[in-house]
Amino acid sequence: FMETKEPDEIWLIQFYAPWCSFCKQLDPVWHKIGSELRSLGSPVRVGKSDATANTALAKEFKVRNYPAILMLKNNVKYNYPGSRTKDGILDFADRVSGPLVRSLSSTRLFQHAINRHDVIVVYVGATSELKGNLTAAAEELIVHTYFFSASREVLPKELTLTSLPAVLLFKDGTHFIYDKEQDGELKSWIKRERFPNVFLIDSYTLYAMGESGNSSTPLTV
């Protein structure tokens, strides 16, 4: 597979085991995901591999549990961290297959992003060291949330920015502005703040919150 695939191909791959009950439950969902991405004209190719038979491939991708879902893009592996639902996996595929930082060129597109996603991170300003830091953070955190860049004119007029460039995180109908002196490293700040204030909890989210250092968010089980 690794020798024959084209360098620019983007693959969404499920590693499964024949005896795994969770894999069997995911199977019809996986076929729907493949059909939907094809119908949308997505560049993402969908595949699955029996990790117990194709052990070399599973070892190369460091598969340790089933079903393991990952995206391979530009020879970089992105592990899917969310619940095994069609909408969750399709959102992951859309997010990771696109640019690390997407451009918001109008107020309408900004409002669409706010309405569609629970949490987004937005860079405002010209090219700078801060934007480079944001792009570096997006390389890891794109599996969790969307990253955008925009001019000041795209954002609501009532939003106050004392200086540019700036990084803002929008969630729960409000926003937070990154302050290096108070918040420390940008990537760590995004990791802590990316959780909505109240949301449905599953085992992955509970684990991820512990890893991020965020232990103050109310949970709904």
Side-chain angles (χ1 to χ4, degrees):
F1 169 74
M2 296 300 292
E3 291 174 355
T4 58
K5 77 173 192 64
E6 296 296 328
D8 59 347
E9 288 179 358
I10 304 173
W11 280 89
L12 181 67
I13 306 171
Q14 177 204 163
F15 285 91
Y16 69 96
W19 45 260
C20 168
S21 59
F22 294 109
C23 302
K24 293 175 183 177
Q25 292 172 17
L26 180 62
D27 198 51
V29 175
W30 199 251
H31 284 286
K32 290 179 182 177
I33 288 169
S35 297
E36 189 156 331
L37 288 174
R38 271 198 310 275
S39 67
L40 292 170
S42 170
V44 177
R45 301 184 177 210
V46 179
K48 58 189 295 189
S49 176
D50 181 349
T52 64
N54 305 313
T55 54
L57 187 62
K59 183 177 180 181
E60 180 162 353
F61 286 104
K62 298 178 180 170
V63 173
R64 295 186 177 89
N65 50 52
Y66 311 112
I69 298 171
L70 58 89
M71 179 165 283
L72 186 65
K73 175 186 174 185
N74 297 329
N75 290 324
V76 177
K77 182 187 74 169
Y78 297 90
N79 290 306
Y80 173 62
S83 57
R84 274 42 178 172
T85 62
K86 180 170 77 80
D87 289 345
I89 296 169
L90 283 172
D91 187 63
F92 167 79
D94 173 68
R95 191 166 60 248
V96 178
S97 64
L100 287 175
V101 181
R102 304 179 185 217
S103 176
L104 294 173
S105 57
S106 68
T107 303
R108 183 181 62 82
L109 287 175
F110 169 78
Q111 197 58 53
H112 176 74
I114 287 288
N115 293 338
R116 183 179 177 189
H117 308 299
D118 292 335
V119 179
I120 65 170
V121 180
V122 181
Y123 173 85
V124 186
T127 301
S128 67
E129 181 181 354
L130 182 60
K131 187 171 186 180
N133 292 340
L134 182 78
T135 302
E139 289 180 354
E140 176 183 340
L141 301 179
I142 192 70
V143 298
H144 302 298
T145 192
Y146 284 85
F147 291 80
F148 297 97
S149 65
S151 66
R152 177 63 187 89
E153 291 71 27
V154 168
L155 302 183
K157 292 183 173 60
E158 60 271 18
L159 192 154
T160 302
L161 289 177
T162 56
S163 63
L164 294 177
V167 173
L168 297 88
L169 187 145
F170 292 85
K171 66 177 182 180
D172 301 315
T174 188
H175 68 275
F176 302 86
I177 302 174
Y178 170 67
D179 183 319
K180 185 177 181 180
E181 291 187 7
Q182 294 183 7
D183 300 321
E185 183 195 23
L186 177 62
K187 183 165 68 173
S188 298
W189 176 74
I190 296 171
K191 281 183 176 180
R192 292 192 304 270
E193 296 295 337
R194 69 178 180 82
F195 300 96
N197 285 333
V198 179
F199 58 96
L200 292 174
I201 192 70
D202 56 24
S203 58
Y204 165 74
T205 309
L206 193 61
Y207 170 78
M209 288 180 66
E211 288 288 294
S212 72
N214 185 327
S215 59
S216 60
T217 299
L219 308 175
T220 301
V221 179

